[in-house]
Amino acid sequence: MREYGQFCPIARSSELLAERWTPIIVRNLLNGCRTFNEIRQGAPGISTALLTQRLDALERHGVLRRTVGPSGRGVRYEPTEMGLALRAVLDAMGQWGAQWLEIQPSHLDPGYVLWATLKLVDVNRIPADTTVVRFELRDRPRDGYWLLLRRPQSELCTRPSGYSEDVVCRTDSATLVDLHLKRLSYATALRETRLELLGPPTLTRQFPNWFGTSPFAAFVPTTASAPPPRT
């Protein structure tokens, strides 16, 4: 971990939190991820070795605690009081980013888009039985994604789950982001065929009600003023 050699609390915080992937890992912990695989699924692209290294560093500094299951198998990661106190920091980062930074094509990783969509599932509105939604992404036709909507916790899969598919959702990653951030309504997406839902009418009608609102949806992007000309 790189040190700045400054007593400033911003510098000292940055030594730990400004490391690549660390804020993402903390975000995933605060979103309820408790196992190594759950944390990694919300961080597409991170290597197993680097995730292990970052988790070790966060544990050493007291941001998380590592526990072993009652059977002696399986490791769980939980944020400590120190880790929970970072929620306000990440909320501020998210609000600032939503307002001032534009979403670029490179930001539309479908694995993360659907992972974030999964975090918005309202378990009180989904059907009582397991409902499987397969996503056909026009911008990533070779990729396969399935949402297993069930109580108490839904799941994102990248391989067939063995369950029968109840709904097929044809769309693209950009549309999923716009729906997630409420920049686009489901009614408009369906009308403009940016979203197609195939399946029993009772399920396709309910589909838009299964997902909650992003905590950053209220922050409308602001166009930053142009920098003054150089003299």
Side-chain angles (χ1 to χ4, degrees):
M1 185 173 67
R2 184 177 60 182
E3 295 184 353
Y4 294 103
Q6 300 178 11
F7 74 89
C8 169
I10 295 176
R12 289 186 284 122
S13 299
S14 297
E15 289 174 356
L16 175 63
L17 299 178
E19 293 277 3
R20 180 170 170 79
W21 290 108
T22 297
I24 304 303
I25 294 168
V26 175
R27 178 203 65 192
N28 293 355
L29 286 166
L30 295 177
N31 274 331
C33 296
R34 291 293 176 264
T35 68
F36 191 92
N37 286 335
E38 287 175 351
I39 296 169
R40 184 170 57 180
Q41 190 174 47
I46 192 171
S47 69
T48 298
L50 184 56
L51 178 53
T52 299
Q53 179 183 336
R54 293 292 188 261
L55 289 170
D56 288 345
L58 290 170
E59 183 180 21
R60 286 197 310 272
H61 285 82
V63 175
L64 64 83
R65 69 171 62 90
R66 189 190 312 243
T67 60
V68 180
S71 64
R73 301 179 60 184
V75 175
R76 291 179 63 82
Y77 302 89
E78 295 186 8
T80 61
E81 181 180 2
M82 180 182 179
L84 292 172
L86 287 171
R87 187 177 298 279
V89 177
L90 294 190
D91 284 347
M93 290 176 63
Q95 293 166 13
W96 183 85
Q99 184 171 358
W100 293 104
L101 301 178
E102 291 292 334
I103 296 174
Q104 304 295 335
S106 59
H107 297 148
L108 302 179
D109 183 295
Y112 175 72
V113 174
L114 288 171
W115 180 87
T117 300
L118 181 71
K119 295 302 177 182
L120 295 180
V121 171
D122 187 337
V123 296
N124 296 315
R125 294 187 174 184
I126 60 177
D129 297 327
T130 298
T131 302
V132 179
V133 181
R134 177 167 62 87
F135 286 82
E136 292 183 2
L137 299 179
R138 301 181 186 115
D139 55 327
R140 301 289 290 266
R142 294 186 179 181
D143 294 349
Y145 295 97
W146 290 259
L147 282 187
L148 276 60
L149 303 178
R150 57 191 176 194
R151 303 169 185 171
Q153 186 173 357
S154 297
E155 183 180 355
L156 171 64
C157 298
T158 55
R159 296 179 181 178
S161 61
Y163 289 91
S164 299
E165 296 169 356
D166 300 294
V167 176
V168 175
C169 177
R170 292 176 178 165
T171 185
D172 56 72
S173 301
T175 297
L176 288 174
V177 169
D178 287 342
L179 292 169
H180 181 90
L181 295 174
K182 301 301 180 184
R183 297 180 180 181
L184 175 72
S185 70
Y186 279 95
T188 300
L190 289 165
R191 184 173 62 252
E192 296 179 353
T193 66
R194 291 181 59 181
L195 174 70
E196 296 178 78
L197 297 174
L198 307 178
T202 53
L203 293 179
T204 57
R205 283 196 300 266
Q206 295 171 12
F207 182 91
N209 300 318
W210 293 342
F211 307 98
T213 303
S214 166
F216 304 117
F219 295 88
V220 179
T222 301
T223 302
S225 57
R230 294 184 177 181
T231 57

